[in-house]
Amino acid sequence: MGDLVLEIGAVAHGGHCVARHEGRVVFVRHALPGEVVRARLTEAGDDARLWRADAVEVLEASPDRVPSAWPEAGAGGVGGGELAHVALPAQRRWKHDVLSEAFLRFADRDFPGEVHAAPGDDERGGLGYRTRVTAVAGPDGRASMHVHRSRELRPLSALPIAAPALEELLLGTRYPAGAHVMGVAPGGEAPRLVVDGTPWRGGRPDKRDNAPRRVRETVTTSRGALTYQVDVEGFWQVHREAPTVLVEAVLDRLGDAETVLDLYAGAGLFTVALASAGRHVTSVEADARASRDARRNVHGLPDARIVHGDTRAYLEAGPDTPDAIVLDPPRSGAGGKTVDALAAVGAARLVYVACDPVALARDTALLGHHGYVLEEAQAFDLFPMTHHVETVATFTR
């Protein structure tokens, strides 16, 4: 594979920009719209529908280009920092452009909102926000990550998007070669490591029978502080401010709804907030570990009910119609059959938390077929230096 000189076009979903070479589409990472770059092909073939490339030299730079905040995630490097060369305001414009293109293409309408920074991110340069990170131990025992779209492991000398104490612990520890490592920095507690499913303490496996497997999280909101216990390997929003941002966004959009169905509820982030606010809420979650966490987290909250089960199956069983539904589906979105079942339940208001622009746009179109109108939507930049963005949308009928 060789190098090409390319004029870079618009951004596209996935963290790359679109260029063309002799009529063929080339997805280029580490570039910016309007630039001219020398790009090294990483995936190409005469019969390939599109090619992929990394910008390895900038011949004409965009004014939005800055020195990379994480050079190891640059061209030919590890995944997870594909926008580290983009100024923070331009990262948010990038994500807004992706949302706009997705909504025009899949929902035949404009995206109605903006992309908002999380509190403190501008002051920190969009760094030090991740409270959960994963790595693989290389042959020398150092924390490593895979080169983008490759099996090759690259040892890390820095992980600037991680909480500083977590970065120090993760990179300062040596592990058995090939081990899968998870680092967690719960709010208000020292960071923890779990290596191949075993908690570590002091740089070695914690052999105690009572080795802690849970972490405590506190979410401070305008309505008061909420506390959670979460399995150390369980799902929790990775940005330090994400739980507060999303809880506030969801509660603000529910109006005076008294009965709420919380779908894909995880460990109960929204369930606890809703029940603490005096709403009658039913949590539905398919993952057994997350559902157990949710049950513990609503202890003492009589207005909460926990259901461990599949979301679509629960909806198809015909639950009573709630005043509102909150749903936070996986990256693939809810999808047609689940949207059909959701619409049949008949709630007048839906608050949809989405981590993928295309999935949200597709589901917006599907919901529209059932009479649900997108009332408003706002996006939140909870993954700086990456192409990911979180969106909260309100639908009514």
Side-chain angles (χ1 to χ4, degrees):
M1 296 185 188
D3 292 355
L4 304 173
V5 174
L6 298 173
E7 295 183 7
I8 303 301
V11 302
H13 184 42
H16 44 253
C17 298
V18 178
R20 292 188 179 273
H21 174 70
E22 298 179 351
R24 188 188 303 272
V25 172
V26 186
F27 282 168
V28 185
R29 285 164 54 85
H30 314 295
L32 276 157
E35 292 188 328
V36 178
V37 305
R38 184 168 63 86
R40 183 156 298 153
L41 291 171
T42 57
E43 296 180 27
D46 291 340
D47 58 349
R49 185 173 58 88
L50 56 86
W51 288 352
R52 297 181 183 272
D54 283 351
V56 294
E57 182 182 357
V58 180
L59 305 177
E60 295 180 22
S62 164
D64 292 326
R65 179 174 286 275
V66 297
S68 176
W70 188 12
E72 286 177 294
V78 300
E82 61 274 9
L83 299 190
H85 64 291
V86 184
L88 275 179
Q91 289 186 34
R92 293 167 197 144
R93 291 197 300 273
W94 178 306
K95 296 173 187 187
H96 188 272
D97 288 348
V98 169
L99 280 159
S100 296
E101 196 276 335
F103 269 72
L104 285 172
R105 181 177 178 186
F106 295 102
D108 195 27
R109 59 158 297 160
D110 292 330
F111 176 71
E114 301 298 329
V115 179
H116 304 274
D121 272 357
D122 285 336
E123 294 81 355
R124 296 182 178 89
L127 301 174
Y129 67 87
R130 282 195 74 105
T131 64
R132 268 80 178 160
V133 296
T134 57
V136 179
D140 61 356
R142 295 170 60 191
S144 306
M145 292 177 65
H146 285 100
V147 172
H148 179 66
R149 295 176 71 90
S150 168
R151 294 180 179 275
E152 179 188 349
L153 280 176
R154 189 75 54 80
L156 296 171
S157 63
L159 190 57
I161 61 175
L166 179 55
E167 178 188 27
E168 180 180 358
L169 177 63
L170 183 79
L171 301 187
T173 305
R174 293 294 178 266
Y175 313 94
H180 291 264
V181 182
M182 181 171 186
V184 178
E189 295 184 10
R192 310 255 199 98
L193 294 174
V194 180
V195 180
D196 284 338
T198 299
W200 271 33
R201 182 187 185 203
R204 58 182 58 87
D206 190 342
K207 300 289 190 180
R208 296 175 298 168
D209 291 339
N210 63 344
R213 296 262 348 157
R214 317 191 70 73
V215 295
R216 179 184 176 89
E217 297 285 358
T218 300
V219 179
T220 303
T221 75
S222 60
R223 299 161 176 84
L226 307 169
T227 59
Y228 300 79
Q229 294 280 335
V230 184
D231 188 284
V232 69
E233 293 186 280
F235 175 79
W236 189 253
Q237 291 287 339
V238 300
H239 193 294
R240 65 181 180 279
E241 298 293 341
T244 294
V245 168
L246 295 176
V247 163
E248 296 278 23
V250 167
L251 291 181
D252 286 347
R253 286 160 172 77
L254 282 175
D256 58 359
E258 293 185 2
T259 58
V260 182
L261 189 55
D262 183 13
L263 304 178
Y264 312 97
L269 175 63
F270 302 128
T271 303
V272 170
L274 292 164
S276 297
R279 321 245 186 167
H280 297 278
V281 56
T282 298
S283 157
V284 183
E285 171 57 51
D287 182 78
R289 177 168 57 189
S291 194
R292 285 194 300 270
D293 286 344
R295 197 173 301 281
R296 292 186 181 95
N297 289 328
V298 301
H299 181 71
L301 294 172
D303 290 328
R305 183 170 74 97
I306 305 300
V307 175
H308 170 220
D310 177 75
T311 289
R312 188 195 306 167
Y314 178 84
L315 294 171
E316 289 175 344
D320 292 339
T321 301
D323 296 328
I325 294 176
V326 175
L327 65 156
D328 185 5
R331 193 167 302 282
S332 56
K337 291 183 179 180
T338 299
V339 168
D340 291 345
L342 183 71
V345 171
R349 177 177 290 265
L350 309 178
V351 179
Y352 190 134
V353 181
C355 60
D356 185 89
V358 169
L360 175 60
R362 285 174 172 155
D363 284 348
T364 296
L366 293 171
L367 287 164
H369 296 323
H370 291 284
Y372 281 102
V373 176
L374 177 61
E375 186 176 274
E376 62 82 38
Q378 296 296 329
F380 301 93
D381 189 13
L382 302 181
F383 305 90
M385 307 300 157
T386 82
H387 69 277
H388 299 292
V389 63
E390 201 88 6
T391 308
V392 182
T394 309
F395 298 85
T396 58
R397 75 172 183 185

